[in-house]
Amino acid sequence: MPEWEPVIGLEIHVQLKTHTKMFCGCEAGFGGEPNTRTCPVCLAFPGALPVPNETAVEWTIKLGHALNCRIAERAVFHRKNYFYPDNPKGYQISQYDEPLCIAGSFVVPGPEGDTKVGIVRAHLEEDAAKTIHVGGETGRIVGSAHSNVDFNRGGTPLVEIVTQPDLRSADDAKRFLQLLRQTIVELGISDAEMEKGTLRADANVSVREVGETGYRTRTELKNMNSFNHIARGIEAELRRQIETWESGGEVVQETLDYEVKSDTVTPRRRKEEADDYRYFPEPDLVPIEPEADVVDRLRAEVPELPGVRIRRFEEQYELSYYDAEVLNGSAALAALYEQVALDGIDAKAASNVLMNDFVATGVDPAAVNGAELAKLIEARATIPRETFTRALTESADPEFRAETYLGDTLIADTAELEPLVERILASNPGQVAAYKGGKEGLLGFFVGQVMKETQGKADPKVVNDLLRQKLA
Ligand SMILES: [Zn+2]
């Protein structure tokens, strides 16, 4: 049997969180009473004229910089013609052969080196309205009783990002999307939430034999609404294509839906070719010609991006890739880590506390005073575990001061602990005999008893030493 290599490219749609829509002054945003955020432009009344949203153009350029794209000196809006009830103009204003951002790349750091993914283009367009199929089990048109259209979403600015087919596994595709999402969120241009549909991704999937240089026929996978579903959908489609080729069949170009329940893909429709859309330049809009100083200003506004920050954390704080990745799960957590680490705390200890104990509390890292947290972490060996956890839980309080908790010190005085240790050993003769007979794991049992009696306030190191001494 030949060895197969997956070839995966992604098409990502990102809804920008501008206040208003792409070509009119209607409020943009998720939800709302259906059909309340509309006007003659986004409802396509005859004679209504589009006016481009400047913020949306600037944010797309900013994203282009983050994706290492070349920003076009001249970009053109085109009409993409097709009929659908959620598209009242009969065309979507999009970009075709002169998009705003071209030929970039996006680097995904990993434990075994970087994955560099080519970016073909990132262009600006308007979103369609939302069709809601009523009745039926799946929420799809098949089996539904009727359909409603909500035009609130119609005309919302949308950026489409198209990658090269550079991804070689479903996991790589998922990791790419997660890092891209975080990058977009940190740029402040979109909430990029898959469950709300403000981030949507389709995958172009094909396989080829290892060593083959050309590409075989690809299919397009749609309708996947979480990172896990995307990875599983790609896996299912890879399996199907490999089986098809190995049984002497031929993969045909088509669009597929991933069905989560059955973990299989089902055909949706034959893929349209670009010719079918009869693209032509939008006569109501002039080309976008961004001025050089605006492009430069937007480049300067791009913050340090999460992919870059992960590598810097590994180097600067000598952390493992895994630690650096977890700490960069959000910009706020990364910033808090840096405040704590720069305060002179051991970088690895600070990383362990933040990644495990702190994250487990669910406290918002942006609300925490890093200097006070650093004091707390530094003193963690001298205060009871319970107190430490409570302090972390309360660390977002503006009044939070580490010293409030530091008075609650551990009992480390041997004279105080010794009688207690002796009493516990005397009242558990069976366990003592078993320990002396070789069941050394019972030490933990004795430590636990001491902790229980002292409400967790005994210094575990002193207790361990005392117990070993007495049991010797
Ligand atoms: Zn409108």
Side-chain angles (χ1 to χ4, degrees):
M1 283 291 166
E3 202 183 323
W4 295 96
E5 178 180 59
V7 177
I8 303 157
L10 298 169
E11 278 180 35
I12 303 109
H13 283 95
V14 182
Q15 209 183 77
L16 299 178
K17 58 173 182 186
T18 50
H19 292 302
T20 55
K21 292 185 180 180
M22 186 60 225
F23 296 114
C24 62
C26 289
E27 192 190 332
F30 180 74
E33 181 74 16
N35 295 311
T36 51
R37 297 166 183 167
T38 59
C39 74
V41 174
C42 55
L43 288 177
F45 285 16
L49 289 172
V51 178
N53 183 326
E54 189 181 352
T55 306
V57 173
E58 291 203 352
W59 285 1
T60 306
I61 294 173
K62 215 168 174 176
L63 176 62
H65 284 314
L67 297 173
N68 292 304
C69 286
R70 183 164 71 74
I71 308 302
E73 283 161 11
R74 181 178 189 272
V76 176
F77 284 112
H78 272 71
R79 289 187 181 181
K80 180 180 181 178
N81 297 283
Y82 67 94
F83 172 79
Y84 206 70
D86 63 14
N87 176 29
K89 291 199 294 285
Y91 59 86
Q92 176 195 27
I93 303 178
S94 181
Q95 296 189 307
Y96 181 48
D97 53 357
E98 293 180 82
L100 195 47
C101 312
I102 316 142
S105 63
F106 188 70
V107 173
V108 184
E112 275 128 41
D114 291 340
T115 305
K116 190 174 179 182
V117 180
I119 304 293
V120 179
R121 58 191 279 154
H123 76 239
L124 193 50
E125 59 188 29
E126 57 178 340
D127 206 349
K130 197 172 167 53
T131 314
I132 300 141
H133 304 295
V134 183
E137 279 173 27
T138 58
R140 302 216 177 130
I141 194 163
V142 179
S144 67
H146 65 278
S147 302
N148 294 331
V149 183
D150 176 7
F151 285 93
N152 284 356
R153 196 182 72 180
T156 306
L158 207 59
V159 174
E160 181 178 319
I161 303 163
V162 181
T163 79
Q164 298 281 4
D166 288 344
L167 293 155
R168 292 290 172 267
S169 75
D171 275 347
D172 280 359
K174 179 178 159 188
R175 180 71 195 118
F176 169 90
L177 278 174
Q178 285 172 326
L179 190 67
L180 178 68
R181 174 190 183 266
Q182 204 192 327
T183 301
I184 290 165
V185 169
E186 291 190 21
L187 286 172
I189 61 174
S190 172
D191 294 331
E193 292 186 67
M194 293 196 90
E195 57 275 29
K196 287 187 180 171
T198 49
L199 176 74
R200 311 195 279 270
D202 303 332
N204 291 310
V205 179
S206 66
V207 294
R208 62 182 174 186
E209 285 182 38
V210 172
E212 209 175 320
T213 50
Y215 295 127
R216 299 196 182 194
T217 306
R218 61 165 202 242
T219 57
E220 189 177 5
L221 260 184
K222 283 187 181 285
N223 209 26
M224 299 170 291
N225 50 16
S226 77
F227 293 114
N228 284 332
H229 288 178
I230 286 170
R232 287 174 55 195
I234 292 172
E235 292 282 3
E237 175 55 5
L238 289 169
R239 279 198 304 272
R240 188 190 70 88
Q241 289 191 13
I242 291 169
E243 276 167 25
T244 305
W245 291 119
E246 289 189 345
S247 61
E250 185 115 349
V251 172
V252 294
Q253 187 173 341
E254 61 188 336
T255 302
L256 304 157
D257 278 324
Y258 174 59
E259 308 281 350
V260 180
K261 259 192 196 160
S262 58
D263 194 26
T264 55
V265 295
T266 51
R268 179 190 272 202
R269 56 158 195 239
R270 288 289 154 95
K271 178 83 182 122
E272 296 89 347
E273 290 297 328
D275 289 353
D276 299 334
Y277 290 121
R278 300 287 188 272
Y279 279 98
F280 66 86
E282 165 62 67
D284 292 336
L285 290 167
V286 295
I288 309 173
E289 293 175 339
E291 285 168 27
D293 59 335
V294 174
V295 173
D296 289 345
R297 168 174 62 79
L298 293 166
R299 183 184 289 114
E301 282 176 19
V302 175
E304 183 187 26
L305 298 173
V308 174
R309 217 168 48 220
I310 289 172
R311 288 294 186 223
R312 179 169 66 77
F313 271 35
E314 281 182 278
E315 199 163 310
Q316 188 173 345
Y317 304 111
E318 296 176 11
L319 297 174
S320 69
Y321 170 79
Y322 173 74
D323 285 17
E325 193 203 336
V326 175
L327 291 170
N328 279 289
S330 76
L333 185 64
L336 180 61
Y337 175 75
E338 295 216 76
Q339 285 175 41
V340 172
L342 293 174
D343 222 65
I345 305 270
D346 171 52
K348 181 66 192 163
S351 146
N352 283 341
V353 171
L354 281 187
M355 283 168 49
N356 303 308
D357 312 79
F358 179 80
V359 167
T361 62
V363 165
D364 173 14
V368 177
N369 178 329
E372 290 300 319
L373 186 64
K375 280 186 216 165
L376 181 76
I377 294 174
E378 195 141 55
R380 74 193 181 289
T382 65
I383 54 176
R385 180 82 202 161
E386 212 180 324
T387 308
F388 182 65
T389 306
R390 182 161 51 85
L392 287 179
T393 312
E394 294 167 358
S395 61
D397 189 324
E399 305 288 308
F400 173 77
R401 295 290 172 272
E403 64 181 18
T404 317
Y405 306 89
L406 301 191
D408 197 4
T409 48
L410 289 171
I411 308 165
D413 186 356
T414 322
E416 196 178 332
L417 290 172
E418 201 169 358
L420 175 62
V421 167
E422 281 172 353
R423 182 154 57 76
I424 282 164
L425 293 181
S427 53
N428 294 285
Q431 277 88 345
V432 171
Y435 178 89
K436 288 185 173 167
K439 286 189 79 178
E440 293 190 2
L442 279 168
L443 192 71
F445 163 78
F446 296 120
V447 174
Q449 294 296 309
V450 177
M451 288 299 176
K452 206 167 136 194
E453 292 271 334
T454 57
Q455 274 123 36
K457 291 190 177 175
D459 185 326
K461 192 180 169 316
V462 177
V463 174
N464 264 286
D465 289 349
L466 269 176
L467 281 166
R468 283 182 204 280
Q469 219 175 47
K470 302 278 171 199
L471 287 164

